[in-house]
């Protein structure tokens, strides 16, 4: 599986995620959240940055189910799902990820038929890779 | 300010054969297309002083100039963002020639996408920002990225797979009339579409463009010079590029309205400088790497309202004799996928009256580059 090729702006996201914490870059001056991370605030042009914890609750904004041809590691798991999650506290902050049955479960663990746009999901960290994953919210 | 309206014209077009695999290399194919376009125009290669192509083009200016025998070049530019750059190559030449920086410009694209590697397999090139946010999760290919927007579009506006099929069918029907098209002798049915294999749900095989070897070129000169050329001029009436605020490329998931793509910003500039409106467009060549780009583009360029792009495709609207015939050579879905350059040349053929699916009396044509990436578009006309 591909690992994220991390740039300086994005590094804190991955560091926090590996610790089981979901944080989003925010402007230290005007407070606006932004994603993906970048050096400067597009609202007030401040270079001040902070990493704000978010609840990790979100909703499925959209999803796809890739089929081959794919890179070999992914072809082995296909069909699997990829989702875009919008965060409940900031719907314009959307994160790409996989909806899985539990922390550390593979990307094809949850059948695509069970995914719906608007479904409530929750952030977990993959204990092996440290990457964010998403699990269905118990309703 | 004079601007570039009708100041320049496309006077020559050239192309190689299109196929899944051609024997010659990209450089040779580029030379063949360029030589053919200049011959079509009746202009000696020694008169060429301007070039424009894509940043992804592998044959560079030096190679092309020394092989084909150009004169001294005084303007050469490259446009980024893959298929978003197609129309911008002509736009850059038109702007340079109108401003007096050059007199004879050639734009071209040569690509062995049919027999060469799939770009997304190069994970080193693909992985830097913003791919770190998407690719580890298996969102690997352009089709996956656009399928994500497509699913949301279908959910929000009620577009259906039948709407996407209407797009695929219109392109295939036109290809079936075009002997140069890769899919010339391969009709498409609804049954074939609905039972084909998935590539990235909700997009199936027939929602994806072809993988083609081939090359194309066109020649741009001033309107004065165009009168002396071999073919009737096709004027560059309006041209625009568009990179909208807070746009993120094909993974445009991080702004207030991800379904408002670069075509909207491009269209605003395009129409602002035009003497006609979407209602006056006789035929359109709309970038179709994926079927879903057509409804999104129809909305962006003002042919229908927001969310109406799916419904617009109904009742044969995109077919010959329909409300807006599109991709009359077969497009990227069924003629050839050469980063949209065949759409430019097909626009020229329509306005010369020489298309294999000619729209009777066509006088105006919209040509667009890839929606979903920083893009570009042209309004062409044979009236001036
Ligand atoms: Zn700020």
């Amino acid at each position: 599986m591909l690992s994220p090729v991390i740039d300086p702006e994005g590094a804190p996201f991955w560091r926090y995620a590996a610790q089981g914490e979901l944080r989003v870059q925010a402007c230290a001056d005007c407070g606006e959240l932004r994603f993906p991370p970048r050096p400067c605030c597009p609202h007030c042009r401040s270079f001040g940055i902070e990493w704000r914890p978010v609840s990790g609750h979100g909703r499925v904004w959209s999803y796809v189910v890739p089929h081959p041809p794919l890179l070999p590691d992914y072809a082995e798991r296909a069909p699997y799902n990829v989702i875009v999650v919008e965060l409940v506290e900031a719907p314009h902050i959307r994160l790409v990820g996989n909806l899985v049955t539990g922390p550390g479960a593979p990307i094809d663990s949850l059948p695509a038929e069970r995914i719906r746009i608007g479904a409530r999901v929750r952030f977990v960290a993959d204990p092996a890779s440290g990457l964010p994953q998403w699990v269905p919210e118990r309703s | 300010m004079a601007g570039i309206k009708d100041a320049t014209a496309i006077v020559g077009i050239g192309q190689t054969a299109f196929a899944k695999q051609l024997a010659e290399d990209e450089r040779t194919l580029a030379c063949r297309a360029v030589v053919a376009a200049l011959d079509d125009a009746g202009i000696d290669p020694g008169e060429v002083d301007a070039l424009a192509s894509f940043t992804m083009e592998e044959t560079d200016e030096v190679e092309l100039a020394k092989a084909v025998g150009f004169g001294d070049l005084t303007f050469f530019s490259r446009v980024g963002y893959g298929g978003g750059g197609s129309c911008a190559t002509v736009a850059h030449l038109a702007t340079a020639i109108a401003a007096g920086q050059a007199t004879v410009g050639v734009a071209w694209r040569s690509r062995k996408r049919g027999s060469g590697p799939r770009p997304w397999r190069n994970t080193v090139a693909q992985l830097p920002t913003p791919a770190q946010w998407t690719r580890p999760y298996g969102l690997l290919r352009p089709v996956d990225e656009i399928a994500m927007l497509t699913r949301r579009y279908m959910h929000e506006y009620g577009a259906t797979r039948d709407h996407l099929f209407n797009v695929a069918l219109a392109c295939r029907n036109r290809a079936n009339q075009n002997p140069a098209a890769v899919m010339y002798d391969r009709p498409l049915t609804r049954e074939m579409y609905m039972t084909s294999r998935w590539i990235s749900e909700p997009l199936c095989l027939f929602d994806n463009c072809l993988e083609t070897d081939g090359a194309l070129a066109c020649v741009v000169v001033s309107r004065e010079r165009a009168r002396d050329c071999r073919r009737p001029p096709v004027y560059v009436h309006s041209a625009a590029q568009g990179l909208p605020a807070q746009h993120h490329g094909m993974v445009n998931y991080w702004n207030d309205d991800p379904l408002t793509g670069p075509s909207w910003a491009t269209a605003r500039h395009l129409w602002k400088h035009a003497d006609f409106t979407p209602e006056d467009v006789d035929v359109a060549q709309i970038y179709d790497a994926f079927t879903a780009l057509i409804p999104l583009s129809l909305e962006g360029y003002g042919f229908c309202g927001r969310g109406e792009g799916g419904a617009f495709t109904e009742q044969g609207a995109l077919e010959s004799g329909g409300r807006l015939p599109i991709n009359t050579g077969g497009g990227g879905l069924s003629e050839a996928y050469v980063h949209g350059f065949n759409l430019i040349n097909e626009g020229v053929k329509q306005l010369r009256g020489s298309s294999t699916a000619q729209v009777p009396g066509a006088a105006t044509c919209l040509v667009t580059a890839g929606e979903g990436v920083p893009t570009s578009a042209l309004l062409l006309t044979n009236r001036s």
Side-chain angles (χ1 to χ4, degrees):
Chain A
M1 301 304 235
L2 299 174
S3 302
V5 174
I6 296 169
D7 63 5
E9 280 79 40
F13 176 91
W14 299 109
R15 203 167 56 240
Y16 287 119
Q19 296 163 10
E21 206 181 340
L22 189 62
R23 291 200 186 208
V24 174
Q25 193 189 44
C27 175
D29 285 287
C30 77
E32 195 79 28
L33 289 170
R34 62 183 189 254
F35 192 90
R38 64 205 75 165
C40 177
C41 172
H43 301 277
C44 76
R45 283 78 195 183
S46 164
F47 286 76
I49 288 169
E50 60 184 36
W51 283 85
R52 189 160 326 145
V54 291
S55 68
H57 294 283
R59 287 180 185 277
V60 175
W61 182 81
S62 187
Y63 66 99
V64 298
V65 184
H67 294 249
L70 290 156
L71 295 174
D73 285 353
Y74 294 88
E76 249 171 56
R77 291 283 174 193
Y80 56 88
N81 72 73
V82 188
I83 63 173
V84 170
V85 178
E86 53 182 21
L87 301 183
V88 288
E89 56 267 81
H92 67 291
I93 302 292
R94 304 185 186 93
L95 300 170
V96 177
N98 306 109
L99 189 60
V100 299
T101 50
I107 60 178
D108 61 342
S109 58
L110 193 126
E113 299 78 53
R114 287 181 48 200
I115 305 175
R116 293 286 179 274
I117 288 179
R120 292 163 58 198
V121 298
R122 178 172 55 85
F123 162 86
V124 294
D126 182 332
S129 69
L131 259 56
Q133 294 184 299
W134 299 88
V135 297
E137 188 95 74
R138 305 268 171 257
S139 47
Chain B
M1 202 184 79
I4 65 164
K5 186 192 294 176
D6 300 329
T8 63
I10 300 175
V11 292
I13 52 174
Q15 68 190 53
T16 65
F18 304 131
K20 182 76 181 168
Q21 181 155 18
L22 294 176
E24 292 183 320
D25 63 12
E26 283 184 352
R27 193 184 339 182
T28 306
L29 296 172
C31 293
R32 286 195 186 281
V34 168
V35 167
L38 287 162
D39 183 57
D40 184 54
I43 293 177
D44 186 88
E47 292 190 61
V48 173
D49 56 7
L51 293 176
S53 192
F54 302 60
T55 54
M56 285 180 76
E57 171 63 31
E58 302 264 347
T59 303
D60 69 26
E61 294 83 352
V62 170
E63 293 294 338
L64 192 62
K66 73 187 184 193
V68 175
F70 293 150
D72 297 339
L73 300 180
T74 58
F75 179 91
F76 32 98
S77 81
R78 296 286 193 117
V79 188
Y81 305 103
S86 63
C87 293
T89 62
V90 172
H92 284 203
L93 293 176
T95 306
I97 291 167
Q101 294 296 101
T103 59
V104 177
V106 169
W108 85 98
R109 182 77 174 106
S110 175
R111 199 176 188 207
K112 297 191 74 168
R113 179 69 178 77
S115 57
R118 295 178 160 127
W120 53 266
R121 286 199 161 262
N122 182 353
T123 55
V124 178
Q126 294 290 335
L127 264 175
T129 304
Q132 64 177 313
W133 308 110
T134 60
R135 299 209 189 262
Y137 307 107
L139 198 75
L140 300 173
R141 307 160 296 183
V143 63
D144 302 314
E145 297 167 346
I146 294 299
M148 192 70 81
L149 294 173
T150 305
R151 169 99 59 188
R152 182 70 195 188
Y153 179 72
M154 294 165 94
H155 171 83
E156 249 179 73
Y157 297 111
T160 65
R161 290 195 70 211
D162 262 303
H163 292 143
L164 303 182
F165 166 65
N166 290 341
V167 173
L169 182 64
C171 292
R172 184 60 62 92
N173 285 343
R174 298 297 81 70
N176 294 157
Q177 296 172 259
N178 173 11
V182 171
M183 291 295 172
Y184 174 53
D185 53 6
R186 305 268 292 276
L188 176 68
T189 65
R190 185 173 182 278
E191 168 78 8
M192 286 164 67
Y193 177 92
M194 290 297 172
T195 58
S196 73
R197 64 188 172 92
W198 294 114
I199 302 297
S200 192
E201 298 175 52
L203 297 180
C204 72
L205 177 66
F206 293 109
D207 293 310
N208 286 256
C209 62
L210 304 171
E211 297 176 315
T212 314
D213 286 5
L216 300 105
C218 73
V219 182
V220 181
V221 299
S222 70
R223 61 178 292 117
E224 293 76 23
R225 177 66 198 270
R227 292 194 196 104
D228 305 326
C229 290
R230 190 174 282 165
R231 308 282 181 193
V234 171
Y235 297 99
V236 179
H237 182 70
S238 179
Q241 289 183 269
L243 195 180
Q246 294 299 315
H247 174 68
H248 298 271
M250 271 192 290
V251 288
N252 193 41
Y253 312 141
W254 300 299
N255 54 41
D256 290 339
D257 186 6
L259 298 175
T260 296
S263 64
W264 293 75
T266 308
R268 280 193 289 276
H269 185 89
L270 194 72
W271 295 119
K272 188 168 81 182
H273 294 273
D275 291 340
F276 54 92
T277 69
E279 280 180 10
D280 306 314
V281 170
D282 296 322
V283 57
Q285 315 297 335
I286 302 180
Y287 195 93
D288 56 347
F290 307 103
T291 52
L293 300 183
I294 301 297
L296 292 171
S297 299
L298 290 169
E299 296 174 17
Y301 288 98
F303 293 99
C304 58
R306 185 57 199 275
E308 296 173 356
F312 186 97
T313 69
E314 293 170 6
Q315 271 122 36
L318 309 179
E319 303 279 347
S320 295
R323 198 167 149 197
L324 184 70
I326 66 157
N327 303 7
T328 43
L333 287 163
S334 285
E335 183 189 32
Y337 185 64
V338 195
H339 261 160
F341 213 109
N342 51 322
L343 298 172
I344 299 173
N345 282 16
E346 175 62 19
V348 172
K349 289 173 192 172
Q350 281 287 350
L351 299 180
R352 287 177 175 181
S354 65
S355 169
T356 49
Q358 184 62 41
V359 172
T364 58
C365 180
L366 168 72
V367 187
T368 77
E371 169 63 331
V373 290
T375 193
S376 52
L378 300 169
L379 287 173
L380 303 177
T381 180
N382 53 20
R383 293 183 306 221
S384 178

